[in-house]
Amino acid sequence: MGVDAQYGYVVMLDVVRVPVLSDNYAWLVHDADSGETIVVDPGEAAPVQAAAAERGWRIDAVWTTHWHPDHTGGNQALKAAGAEIVAPAAEAAKIPTLDRGVAEGDTLMLGRHAATVMEVPGHTQGHVAFHFAEDGIVFTGDTLFAMGCGRLFEGTPGDMFANMARYAAIPDATRVYCGHEYTLSNARYAAVAEPDNAAVAERLAQVAAQRARGEATVPTTIGAERATNPFLRAASVEDFARLRAGKDAFKG
Ligand code: ZN
Ligand code: FE
């Protein structure tokens, strides 16, 4: 959203949550001005195609945050249906459907809306996020979650700590669209990690109620994460590493 000097008012992007697999979210993003539609991380194709068809949208491109099958499982079918597969260049060998590789600082366009590619390694080595700065939207895949962060499969605590610092520097109002509905487990851990944080306790209660009603808890915002996400709030890489190890062992 915003005012474009040449064209005037720019219509807000439509973002549609599509639950796929057991707890993944794929995100359909549609620009009404241009009629273009992309999907971020389609773990499977059919539910995404159904959600697009219902709205009369044609999927022009797939934007992939990382190679894990729960984020790329739908790529082949969507590519066969005509979508261009955009994915981290660094993971090209693990993403055979890739048409266009992207890296840090690249700009992707959806109509007149620009997204910047952020390299955010740690969960996987080549993991990227897509940041529509003007629109106040970021797609974080399996790096920043609501009240949590991704596991370190291919990187170090230092990698992910650096990612958290980058996210924390984005404006508070930015909406965060992540790859999984992990919020309740994350909230329970956050309450153990920060027992004196009233905002965490309050959000845990809210998230528990939402989940009991079968509601999604994503998107979140950078501001909410700055208040309640222990990983984003970690003061040092040591602090972060301790929190991550604690979550890996947490049975919540
Ligand atoms: Zn993953
Ligand atoms: Fe995942």
Side-chain angles (χ1 to χ4, degrees):
M1 187 171 50
V3 176
D4 183 287
Q6 189 177 358
Y7 299 100
Y9 184 70
V10 178
V11 174
M12 249 173 102
L13 294 172
D14 289 324
V15 184
V16 175
R17 180 193 312 104
V18 185
V20 297
L21 304 172
S22 59
D23 53 25
N24 280 76
Y25 291 133
W27 300 101
L28 273 173
V29 191
H30 176 74
D31 171 44
D33 279 335
S34 63
E36 290 175 22
T37 305
I38 60 122
V39 59
V40 178
D41 285 358
E44 52 184 335
V48 168
Q49 287 172 314
E54 209 172 281
R55 293 165 176 83
W57 299 348
R58 182 202 121 85
I59 299 171
D60 299 294
V62 171
W63 293 6
T64 296
T65 63
H66 67 294
W67 67 267
H68 284 163
D70 61 312
H71 298 255
T72 55
N75 285 18
Q76 188 64 63
L78 290 165
K79 181 179 170 118
E84 178 187 39
I85 310 297
V86 178
E91 298 189 347
K94 287 176 168 164
I95 306 174
T97 51
L98 180 148
D99 293 309
R100 176 174 172 197
V102 293
E104 175 69 30
D106 286 354
T107 299
L108 291 167
M109 298 303 295
L110 177 55
R112 299 202 303 270
H113 301 258
T116 303
V117 176
M118 299 167 65
E119 287 183 354
V120 282
H123 178 72
T124 66
Q125 201 114 73
H127 198 302
V128 297
F130 304 107
H131 182 208
F132 288 92
E134 286 281 311
D135 296 271
I137 291 173
V138 64
F139 293 94
T140 59
D142 287 356
T143 57
L144 179 62
F145 287 127
M147 304 189 81
C149 80
R151 284 178 188 264
L152 299 172
F153 290 118
E154 299 178 9
T156 65
D159 290 333
M160 193 63 90
F161 180 67
N163 299 337
M164 294 296 124
R166 292 187 72 184
Y167 289 132
I170 292 176
D172 277 353
T174 307
R175 281 163 292 155
V176 177
Y177 295 84
C178 58
H180 289 269
E181 179 60 62
Y182 287 163
T183 317
L184 184 53
S185 163
N186 289 341
R188 288 181 176 139
Y189 180 67
V192 172
E194 296 197 30
D196 300 327
N197 185 331
V200 166
E202 193 182 315
R203 194 172 176 194
L204 168 57
Q206 184 195 332
V207 164
Q210 283 177 297
R211 295 306 293 152
R213 293 192 297 264
E215 293 171 13
T217 64
V218 182
T220 176
T221 64
I222 293 291
E225 297 315 304
R226 277 159 43 86
T228 63
N229 186 325
F231 299 96
L232 205 69
R233 294 162 57 77
S236 66
V237 65
E238 292 75 21
D239 200 19
F240 177 91
R242 182 183 52 75
L243 285 164
R244 186 59 263 175
K247 180 64 167 74
D248 288 346
F250 185 65
K251 306 273 181 264

